[in-house]
Amino acid sequence: MEKQKKRWGDRADARWIRELDGLHVIMPHLMDKRTDAEVYVNMEFDVTEVLRYIEEKNRGEEEYKATLFHCILMAIAKTVYLRPDLNRYISGRRYYQRHEITLGFVAKKRFEDHSEEKLVVTTAPEDWTLTAVTRQVVGKVHKARTEKSGGANGAMDILRVTPRWFLMLFFRIIKILDFYGKVPAVLKEDDPNFASVFLTNLGSIRCPSVYHHLNNYGTNSIMVAIGTIHKAEKIAADDSRQVRDMVELGITLDERVADGFYFGRSLKIVQHLMSHPELLDRPLKEEIDLDC
């Protein structure tokens, strides 16, 4: 995405959108908190074709095996690229358009009850492909699990040993800085609260998708909870019954960012990409023909 020349009021990560209709100007004042403007949808996606695709793709691959999670990351990044209003956020009661697409999630060091969790954020460049996603995410998760923490992870390690009064004062100041877009860069590094899309992969721990709230802190406008893969009988276009692999996504959106029509068409693009997984291995910036 081409970054425009910075003007007064712009932020380091985004451009202040000044050209808005009356409705969108007043909405952040009527609903000043992100949690006041949540819209939730639970939707089933057919992942039969994408599972076949990654099974073939992973043959002979030892280190960087693609997973359904990687495919969903790529499909969402491609959808956000094609539908740029999804890459907006509201902060300080103003609308902003991000310069980059970023995807954030939480990685557990081990799949145990009390295992430590680490925050991970990855940036989607215009030449991103499923292969690049797999290598980048596998590398970032390995780094988060094995190396000393920095950024938001490192800050949490320091703050957790401070007294309550200090934490109360510290976060009161941070919330004021957040309103004006002045949170120090080191605290935003690897924090999904500042990502375009925040994902939680509940399927990896065999849990169904759930409703997950947005946060008032940060700039994240979309939360996606990925459930487990399950079999379901569906009616095909020729009226035949087929057993398909399905996965539920619980998606929470800030309704102030775009209208329902825009969100609805965007969800159809995600399903189109899942039904044609070969498109996921084309660069993010490459145009595709959509029948949705």
Side-chain angles (χ1 to χ4, degrees), residues 58 75 155 197 207 240:
N58 287 335
V197 184
C207 285
S240 64

mmCIF file of all heavy atoms in Angstrom, residues 58 75 155 197 207 240:
data_model
loop_
_atom_site.group_PDB
_atom_site.id
_atom_site.type_symbol
_atom_site.label_atom_id
_atom_site.label_comp_id
_atom_site.label_asym_id
_atom_site.label_seq_id
_atom_site.Cartn_x
_atom_site.Cartn_y
_atom_site.Cartn_z
ATOM 1 N N ASN A 58 2.391 -29.816 1.574
ATOM 2 C CA ASN A 58 3.311 -30.196 2.644
ATOM 3 C C ASN A 58 4.079 -31.484 2.373
ATOM 4 O O ASN A 58 4.951 -31.859 3.168
ATOM 5 C CB ASN A 58 2.538 -30.344 3.963
ATOM 6 C CG ASN A 58 2.115 -29.002 4.535
ATOM 7 O OD1 ASN A 58 2.734 -27.980 4.252
ATOM 8 N ND2 ASN A 58 1.068 -29.014 5.336
ATOM 9 N N ALA A 75 -5.701 -15.571 3.890
ATOM 10 C CA ALA A 75 -7.019 -15.206 3.334
ATOM 11 C C ALA A 75 -7.507 -13.891 3.928
ATOM 12 O O ALA A 75 -8.063 -13.045 3.216
ATOM 13 C CB ALA A 75 -8.025 -16.325 3.598
ATOM 14 N N ALA A 155 7.977 -5.597 28.246
ATOM 15 C CA ALA A 155 7.390 -4.614 29.161
ATOM 16 C C ALA A 155 6.509 -5.302 30.199
ATOM 17 O O ALA A 155 6.520 -4.936 31.387
ATOM 18 C CB ALA A 155 6.588 -3.596 28.370
ATOM 19 N N VAL A 197 -5.895 -6.989 12.499
ATOM 20 C CA VAL A 197 -6.771 -8.097 12.898
ATOM 21 C C VAL A 197 -6.090 -8.863 14.031
ATOM 22 O O VAL A 197 -4.903 -9.187 13.946
ATOM 23 C CB VAL A 197 -7.053 -9.054 11.720
ATOM 24 C CG1 VAL A 197 -8.041 -10.147 12.145
ATOM 25 C CG2 VAL A 197 -7.596 -8.293 10.516
ATOM 26 N N CYS A 207 -10.997 -26.278 20.883
ATOM 27 C CA CYS A 207 -12.133 -25.518 21.401
ATOM 28 C C CYS A 207 -12.931 -24.937 20.239
ATOM 29 O O CYS A 207 -12.370 -24.617 19.189
ATOM 30 C CB CYS A 207 -11.660 -24.376 22.294
ATOM 31 S SG CYS A 207 -11.100 -24.904 23.924
ATOM 32 N N SER A 240 -26.934 -32.497 -4.640
ATOM 33 C CA SER A 240 -26.448 -33.716 -3.999
ATOM 34 C C SER A 240 -25.972 -33.394 -2.580
ATOM 35 O O SER A 240 -25.604 -32.256 -2.270
ATOM 36 C CB SER A 240 -25.294 -34.321 -4.803
ATOM 37 O OG SER A 240 -24.181 -33.439 -4.829
#
